[in-house]
Amino acid sequence: MASDTGPHKAISRRDLFFGAGVALGSAAIAASGTAAISNSVLAGKPTAIGTNVEPFFGPNQAGIRTAAQAHGVFAAYTLNDTATVDTVRGVMRVATIEASRLCAGEPGLSDTDPTIATVPARLTITFGFGHGLFDKLGLGSRKPEGFVQLPSFGIDELRPEFSGGDLLIQIGSDDPITLSHAHRHMTRVISSIGNPHYSQRGFARASGSVNPDETPRNLMGFKDGTENPRNDESFDEQVWAGVDSGWFAGGTQLVIRRIAMKLDPWDRLGPGDKEAAFGRQMVSGAPLTGENEFDEPDFGARNPSGLTVIPDFSHIRRAHTGDPTHRFLRRPFNYDDGFAEDGTANVGLIFAAYTTDIERRFLPVQKRLAEFDLLNVWTVPIGSSEFVIPPGVPAGGYIGQQLFDS
Ligand code: HEM
């Protein structure tokens, strides 16, 4: 029954792979494995959405500038106490090969389920290193400038199960089965150095359901992502570390905040109150002083009663400091985990911000919002993590190489 090209063969190779130890040399692994399985046999009849591929290799890791996929997961792991630079390097070599294969629509070399590995649907797999990874490996002095742990804020009700983490694997795909498979596979691949800490699952619109150029909406009904970098210049300025950043050049820093939304009281507000909380119009996404989504907000404009049209404590007024360096990429996913114990909606935002420097560019904005933001009435941060996202690598390289080999 099993043939050289069938899934059964792949499973026995997986056993061999693990038997030989996970941290093998990359060349040997790349030369063997499930590559022999014909993707057309495994994928059945792929559609345009299913076969879409995002390049894995390049100067920056994928999954950041990539338009948000329909499904995302932020999986954080705790590094074993026995992990060393050498073991982490070895695992990152293998993890890079496995991730690049999955993103190309190829089963991993140690894939247990090659039948569901061949519909990439814009799969991206992005790796991040938390404070714990640097500290446990004795690399504290190699943390990039500005990579600080956020202080606790008065608005925070942080829960340990949604906070921290030493190693991050962020995965996005337009297909939830592909996402689940990649998540499980990558968890196995790094299992010799890290144990699962959290897995935060989120979603955006299903691929194809709206125009991909449209700004996505969050579960409060508003367009979320209007004021974001959109071209090379603004990404170089706000997101990617510059050439003078040593090993970190081409990387970025990520803040993940799990923010619960009190949607039950929010639902009882009228549209005018909701718009006042954000400072933007619900339907068009335009600032309250404008007509179109991308009109510049006029924070000085006043109504006949002398009050500012965009309320001083609205979310966009507070988030907009006026300092052009206080800008970053926001690429959030929504979550909906049904009902909380008290029967209220257990929903919210997995807020993800990517910045060249958390301390100088992100923290001032977060501080202002924590001090005052009308939105805080209906939102509560319940998780918080920071990760360094190392630069991307060309084919043949491995993620973390610039740090571990220099
Ligand atoms: C559940 C929590 C949050 C929701 C629902 C939310 C939603 C929004 C919405 C709808 C906008 C207006 C459209 C846009 O420009 O994208 C916006 C703008 C913005 N938000 Fe948030 N946000 C949340 C949390 C945060 C946090 C934690 C930060 C940073 C610490 C932040 C920073 C910003 C910034 C910088 C802007 C652009 C302000 C400008 O116009 O210059 N947001 N947010």
Side-chain angles (χ1 to χ4, degrees):
M1 178 73 185
S3 74
D4 263 351
T5 54
H8 295 93
K9 187 68 185 172
I11 289 169
S12 68
R13 280 179 174 160
R14 186 255 328 187
D15 292 337
L16 274 175
F17 177 85
F18 276 112
V22 172
L24 294 172
S26 55
I29 300 163
S32 67
T34 54
I37 296 174
S38 155
N39 282 348
S40 57
V41 170
L42 293 174
K45 290 183 186 156
T47 66
I49 289 175
T51 50
N52 273 336
V53 167
E54 293 288 343
F56 178 87
F57 294 108
N60 317 115
Q61 287 199 64
I64 296 165
R65 188 153 179 192
T66 313
Q69 297 96 330
H71 304 272
V73 62
F74 294 91
Y77 303 83
T78 305
L79 209 60
N80 296 340
D81 291 339
T82 53
T84 63
V85 168
D86 280 345
T87 59
V88 173
R89 180 195 282 119
V91 167
M92 287 308 299
R93 279 203 175 114
V94 177
T96 301
I97 293 169
E98 293 297 85
S100 66
R101 290 179 62 93
L102 294 184
C103 293
E106 300 274 337
L109 293 165
S110 58
D111 214 309
T112 53
D113 300 293
T115 49
I116 48 174
T118 54
V119 179
R122 296 203 302 126
L123 177 67
T124 56
I125 301 178
T126 316
F127 297 93
F129 300 154
H131 290 280
L133 182 139
F134 287 93
D135 296 341
K136 288 178 184 175
L137 297 183
L139 297 174
S141 62
R142 311 289 309 278
K143 287 183 192 175
E145 222 179 302
F147 182 60
V148 294
Q149 208 152 359
L150 296 188
S152 60
F153 301 101
I155 52 170
D156 287 355
E157 293 181 20
L158 300 187
R159 292 166 43 181
E161 67 268 33
F162 298 131
S163 303
D166 298 337
L167 176 67
L168 175 81
I169 305 183
Q170 173 197 314
I171 308 174
S173 173
D174 286 331
D175 184 283
I177 290 188
T178 298
L179 186 92
S180 170
H181 170 261
H183 182 200
R184 285 187 47 246
H185 184 68
M186 296 310 299
T187 298
R188 268 197 308 272
V189 167
I190 61 105
S191 61
S192 64
I193 56 160
N195 295 314
H197 172 54
Y198 68 57
S199 168
Q200 301 195 45
R201 224 33 214 264
F203 57 88
R205 290 272 194 201
S207 180
S209 63
V210 291
N211 182 337
D213 298 333
E214 215 174 280
T215 308
R217 286 184 188 271
N218 60 41
L219 294 177
M220 288 174 138
F222 280 76
K223 292 192 177 187
D224 199 334
T226 303
E227 185 55 53
N228 247 347
R230 285 172 194 280
N231 52 32
D232 288 353
E233 201 187 349
S234 50
F235 267 85
D236 287 345
E237 156 69 19
Q238 300 176 28
V239 181
W240 307 128
V243 285
D244 53 350
S245 312
W247 76 264
F248 181 51
T252 186
Q253 302 181 19
L254 163 64
V255 176
I256 303 172
R257 306 270 289 168
R258 188 177 182 87
I259 304 178
M261 291 174 171
K262 300 179 187 171
L263 279 198
D264 300 279
W266 175 258
D267 290 344
R268 291 195 284 275
L269 295 181
D273 288 336
K274 290 181 176 177
E275 292 186 337
F278 280 109
R280 284 188 177 268
Q281 297 170 32
M282 234 174 144
V283 178
S284 63
L288 294 181
T289 49
E291 282 176 20
N292 300 309
E293 181 183 355
F294 295 102
D295 289 349
E296 273 299 309
D298 180 353
F299 294 117
R302 294 182 180 268
N303 60 25
S305 333
L307 299 171
T308 45
V309 177
I310 299 176
D312 293 346
F313 294 134
S314 64
H315 182 64
I316 66 161
R317 179 65 199 97
R318 293 297 295 166
H320 189 98
T321 70
D323 182 332
T325 67
H326 294 170
R327 297 273 166 100
F328 37 83
L329 171 71
R330 290 169 289 126
R331 190 180 186 275
F333 285 96
N334 306 290
Y335 73 85
D336 180 345
D337 290 347
F339 299 111
E341 272 175 22
D342 61 2
T344 57
N346 186 2
V347 297
L349 198 68
I350 310 172
F351 173 90
Y354 301 82
T355 171
T356 55
D357 185 317
I358 291 176
E359 185 175 30
R360 284 171 196 82
R361 291 172 174 264
F362 177 83
L363 193 53
V365 178
Q366 177 63 82
K367 273 187 181 156
R368 275 170 65 89
L369 293 179
E371 273 161 22
F372 211 101
D373 172 7
L374 267 180
L375 202 56
N376 294 342
V377 175
W378 300 279
T379 58
V380 186
I382 56 172
S384 192
S385 306
E386 309 86 16
F387 294 96
V388 169
I389 307 291
V393 287
Y398 72 93
I399 302 293
Q401 185 166 10
Q402 298 91 336
L403 171 65
F404 298 127
D405 290 356
S406 64

